[in-house]
Amino acid sequence: MKTYSIPANARALKDLAGVASKNQARRVLTMVRVSRKGGACLAEATDSFRLARFTWETEADGGDFEALFAADALRSLKVSDVCAVEYGEGGAAIITGGGLRIPAEGGEGLKYPNTDAIMWHPGEPMKDSSGLMCVNPAYMADACKPVVSWNCPVVVRGSVDGPVFAHACAKVKNGNREIPMQYDALIMPVRGLDSYAPKAWKDAEGEAARKAAREVREAEERRAERKAKRAAAAKEEPAKPAGNSGAKPEEAPKDSPEQEPAKEEEPAKDSPEEGEEAIRRAAEEFGLAIRETSLCLWLAGDTKPHKDALKKAGAKWSAKKGAWYFRKPQAA
């Protein structure tokens, strides 16, 4: 059984293992993928938020291959080790100069996620040569606004069955110092291949517009229903009887005491002029003050002991103003 061997860098593989996920719920993300295509070799790892790659050229004999290695095992590599990747019909393994052998992982359903990525500079048109990522340029530009001033490329990656992520790393000047900064962003769920994505975005926008119109229509229907209920309740409310004891009697205007109903019949008098003279004599006799208006004579003072005499003289009691008054003959 013939095997092939290609050189590898222990430090690079160890660093890639640090990028891989430690969440065993998604076992495939805990792997480092090593592959060869022609004379180019590639090692890459991802935790679904970051993507790290290491590439190198080799002239060693051998065909193309792809294998997955557990990141936990690669973390045990010594950076000073000389290591190589051996592969053949019997599988693949990483062999170190110290005698460590790390076999490739396998198993049914263990498929490494697509990690096609593009390098994109904010402000420039996006060129997706992979054909596997469907990125809405407007969403991308909005999500990457924080790194525009960094003046560095953004690594954009994704697949047809997962989200699209953007990652940027740069040293940002702060006074006389340079601070290493890292930015990660989830751009949007991938909607499909390039040929399908525009239709998917259009369908999503149409659904959002239909939802908004439906909410407006339902709100108007609820308002109309409440209005109809109030109108029906007002129509069914019985009219209050005229003699309702709970209703307040209509009060006469302040300057119109003559509209107050008389509680008792006025005593018979020979003439209105004699009644006015009788009121004036009673006020003088009982020491009451008279305030004269164009319509009435108002009596002020201690009138309570003399109410019967005042009533006999033709005066009336105003409950609203709390005073006795006499209506002048010309106002009758």
Side-chain angles (χ1 to χ4, degrees):
M1 182 175 61
K2 188 175 182 179
T3 60
Y4 303 95
S5 178
I6 57 175
N9 186 297
R11 178 186 291 274
L13 294 176
K14 187 179 180 71
D15 291 342
L16 285 174
V19 174
S21 175
K22 296 181 180 180
N23 183 9
Q24 295 297 326
R26 297 189 65 186
R27 182 165 167 255
V28 69
L29 297 181
T30 65
M31 304 291 176
V32 174
R33 179 166 68 175
V34 180
S35 61
R36 177 181 181 180
K37 188 174 183 180
C41 300
L42 172 67
E44 56 189 346
T46 180
D47 61 355
S48 82
F49 293 97
R50 299 173 295 172
L51 173 64
R53 281 178 167 172
F54 174 68
T55 59
W56 71 99
E57 300 289 333
T58 181
E59 296 179 357
D61 295 336
D64 298 344
F65 84 99
E66 179 182 318
L68 299 179
F69 297 92
D72 288 339
L74 295 181
R75 292 188 185 101
S76 64
L77 289 174
K78 296 180 180 179
V79 296
S80 59
D81 277 349
V82 176
C83 69
V85 181
E86 290 189 353
Y87 64 97
E89 295 179 359
I94 292 177
I95 309 297
T96 69
L100 179 65
R101 180 184 176 89
I102 303 175
E105 298 287 334
E108 186 177 355
L110 193 62
K111 182 181 178 183
Y112 201 73
N114 172 60
T115 54
D116 286 338
I118 58 174
M119 301 295 290
W120 174 67
H121 287 266
E124 296 181 0
M126 184 172 296
K127 298 177 181 179
D128 184 3
S129 58
S130 67
L132 293 177
M133 287 185 297
C134 299
V135 182
N136 187 322
Y139 292 169
M140 176 63 70
D142 187 61
C144 293
K145 281 181 180 179
V147 299
V148 172
S149 61
W150 293 9
N151 195 24
C152 69
V154 178
V155 178
V156 184
R157 67 179 182 83
S159 63
V160 295
D161 57 354
V164 172
F165 295 95
H167 171 73
C169 186
K171 289 185 178 180
V172 181
K173 286 187 177 181
N174 183 12
N176 297 326
R177 295 188 305 164
E178 287 188 344
I179 302 175
M181 304 285 287
Q182 180 174 312
Y183 177 77
D184 294 278
L186 170 66
I187 306 303
M188 57 168 287
V190 175
R191 303 191 183 279
L193 297 175
D194 286 343
S195 59
Y196 174 73
K199 181 179 183 301
W201 296 336
K202 186 176 181 181
D203 291 346
E205 292 172 357
E207 177 61 28
R210 287 192 293 272
K211 182 179 179 182
R214 184 168 60 251
E215 292 176 352
V216 171
R217 185 172 62 254
E218 290 175 354
E220 291 178 351
E221 291 176 354
R222 289 193 294 269
R223 284 196 296 269
E225 185 178 354
R226 290 195 296 268
K227 186 177 180 180
K229 286 183 178 180
R230 288 196 297 269
K235 187 176 180 181
E236 293 176 0
E237 186 178 356
K240 294 182 179 179
N244 189 1
S245 59
K248 284 187 175 182
E250 185 176 353
E251 296 179 351
K254 292 183 178 180
D255 294 332
S256 304
E258 64 276 8
Q259 296 180 11
E260 292 191 16
K263 295 184 179 180
E264 296 181 4
E265 290 185 0
E266 292 186 35
K269 298 183 289 292
D270 294 338
S271 66
E273 291 78 8
E274 292 180 358
E276 182 177 349
E277 290 296 326
I279 290 295
R280 291 183 182 276
R281 286 195 301 270
E284 185 178 357
E285 180 181 355
F286 303 140
L288 305 177
I290 296 178
R291 183 172 64 85
E292 186 173 355
T293 66
S294 60
L295 300 178
C296 302
L297 297 176
W298 290 91
L299 304 177
D302 187 12
T303 58
K304 189 173 182 180
H306 316 292
K307 62 179 183 178
D308 293 332
L310 294 175
K311 185 184 297 184
K312 187 175 181 182
K316 298 180 181 178
W317 173 256
S318 173
K320 187 174 182 179
K321 291 194 174 185
W324 289 89
Y325 71 94
F326 175 81
R327 190 165 42 194
K328 289 184 178 182
Q330 61 268 28

